Amino acid sequence: MNHLGEKVMKIVFLIAACASVLAVFLICVFLFANGLPAMGKIGPLKFLFGTEWRPTNDKFGILPMIVASIYVTAGAIIIGVPIALFTSVFMARYCPKKIYKPLKSGIELMAGVPSIVYGYFGLVLLVPLIRQIFGGTGSSMLAACILLGIMILPTIIGVTESAIRSVPESYYEGSLALGATKERSIFFVMLPAAKSGILAGVVLGIGRAIGETMAVIMVAGNQPRMPKGLLQGVRTMTANIVTEMGYASGLHREALIATGVVLFVFILIINLSLSLLNRRAEHAN
């Protein structure tokens, strides 16, 4: 009976794994089957490197959206990663037991807050604050960077804290025994040992930032032009798709799907880069 139960569970797990792989495969087929023909009609170079997005005039250049997505994601990583890293170190090595559970619960709650709520927070608080301090409309690349930097915190903190806790305690104790301070032992021994996990957390944060839509639409200004500065409005690739997909048809709709293909390729490149970095780290060890 136990043997039969094991076989049944193996089949269930296999079906679950195949369903996940099949879902990814179908997404790839849909995107590439509908997006690549549009690139062929528009012209790959005109589509990827064109600086004008005017569907009414059959101009479908997405370079401004690509650059805006890269800038906004980079800004979010610059703001979010250091805060997330120091928070993870505090929670793993410094945090008193009395406040650990409330702090952990608060961070987990941040992960569950809908993006539209973050967008409303940015619209009500960040945008007026930026307008008051720097002038302009306030709806800008800077607002999007700050908001996304906040949104990626729970993702990076969760993975990074787990990576730090998975490092054997003997590493830390051995460093202390050799005369290193507590801070030096953590930052020069434990963090390098947890490097692969920290990189995984950062990549997940990048994926969250580059794929975010509603919050960015609400605070970034939604202007399909080349970014001209931190205080100017921009439109990312995801925002471009969501803003126009509701009424798009024909080549316009296909161009939006092709934008999704470019976004999908970006995510693939990021994940492949992480795999290569991890392999190099394993070979170096």
Side-chain angles (χ1 to χ4, degrees), residues 115-270:
S115 60
I116 191 73
V117 175
Y118 278 109
Y120 183 70
F121 162 78
L123 191 64
V124 172
L125 185 65
L126 284 179
V127 170
L129 189 63
I130 291 172
R131 186 191 305 131
Q132 185 177 357
I133 295 173
F134 300 105
T137 62
S139 297
S140 59
M141 189 194 305
L142 179 61
C145 290
I146 295 172
L147 188 60
L148 284 180
I150 295 170
M151 292 179 69
I152 65 175
L153 287 178
T155 303
I156 301 177
I157 290 170
V159 178
T160 303
E161 186 197 349
S162 298
I164 294 171
R165 289 187 181 276
S166 68
V167 176
E169 192 67 19
S170 57
Y171 285 35
Y172 176 70
E173 293 172 353
S175 179
L176 290 179
L178 290 171
T181 62
K182 182 177 181 178
E183 289 74 21
R184 194 170 185 84
S185 299
I186 291 171
F187 285 97
F188 291 93
V189 176
M190 299 197 72
L191 289 188
K195 181 171 61 177
S196 61
I198 294 171
L199 283 174
V202 172
V203 169
L204 287 173
I206 292 172
R208 173 77 193 272
I210 202 169
E212 184 52 51
T213 308
M214 291 309 300
V216 175
I217 288 177
M218 294 176 74
V219 302
N222 197 26
Q223 298 175 12
R225 62 183 185 186
M226 288 296 290
K228 296 181 180 179
L230 278 173
L231 300 178
Q232 300 297 317
V234 294
R235 180 190 287 185
T236 61
M237 287 187 284
T238 53
N240 191 49
I241 295 169
V242 170
T243 302
E244 302 189 4
M245 184 60 81
Y247 60 86
S249 60
L251 185 59
H252 184 194
R253 182 176 182 276
E254 292 176 9
L256 293 174
I257 296 173
T259 305
V261 172
V262 176
L263 187 62
F264 188 74
V265 170
F266 264 76
I267 300 296
L268 285 179
I269 291 172
I270 291 167

Side-chain angles (χ1 to χ4, degrees), residues 90-91 94-106 165:
F90 172 76
M91 293 183 67
Y94 290 94
C95 186
K97 291 183 179 179
K98 290 182 179 180
I99 66 169
Y100 178 80
K101 285 187 177 180
L103 184 60
K104 185 72 173 177
S105 299
R165 289 187 181 276

Side-chain angles (χ1 to χ4, degrees), residues 46 59 81 83 90 114 128 189 194 234 241 272 275 279 283:
K46 287 183 179 180
K59 292 183 178 180
V81 168
I83 297 173
F90 172 76
V189 176
V234 294
I241 295 169
L272 288 174
S275 299
R279 285 180 185 175
H283 288 307

